[in-house]
Amino acid sequence: MRSLVLVPALLLAACGDVAPLKPAAGQALPVKPALAKVTPDAEDLLRPTVMAAPERVDELVTRSLPREADRFDLPPPDGGASPPAPAAEAEGEDEQPTRVGEPE
């Protein structure tokens, strides 16, 4: 029973990368792109671009800030008035914003 599991695992491990990639016999690498300085090799072609694999950004929100006035916040199309601005924006614009999780 144990050998039935080990043999396929060893065969699978043996088929790993043993040499650098090369084009198939009789085939060539793609032609040089028009604006490239050099023709890319197999490693360059296999490396994903920044657009294909972007870096992850783990930026956490460190403070809570009131939203800025939006000049494109238009009234409803039926002609009604837009909602009034919150009182906090009109009164305390010169105050420092309160940070979340920090004692005052």
Side-chain angles (χ1 to χ4, degrees):
M1 176 72 176
R2 194 179 227 181
S3 63
L4 290 175
V5 174
L6 288 177
V7 171
L10 289 173
L11 289 174
L12 184 63
C15 71
D17 183 59
V18 292
L21 292 175
K22 296 179 183 174
Q27 299 293 321
L29 287 172
V31 295
K32 182 181 88 159
L35 299 175
K37 294 180 181 178
V38 295
T39 303
D41 60 357
E43 288 295 321
D44 294 334
L45 294 172
L46 289 174
R47 188 177 314 118
T49 63
V50 175
M51 295 295 287
E55 292 185 24
R56 182 176 172 178
V57 176
D58 291 331
E59 181 179 336
L60 300 175
V61 176
T62 56
R63 57 185 167 170
S64 177
L65 298 174
R67 287 187 176 181
E68 296 179 10
D70 184 5
R71 64 183 189 153
F72 296 106
D73 188 14
L74 302 174
D78 63 356
S82 62
E89 284 184 17
E91 293 174 8
E93 290 181 0
D94 57 287
E95 295 179 15
Q96 292 292 331
T98 305
R99 294 180 183 237
V100 176
E102 293 182 8
E104 292 185 15

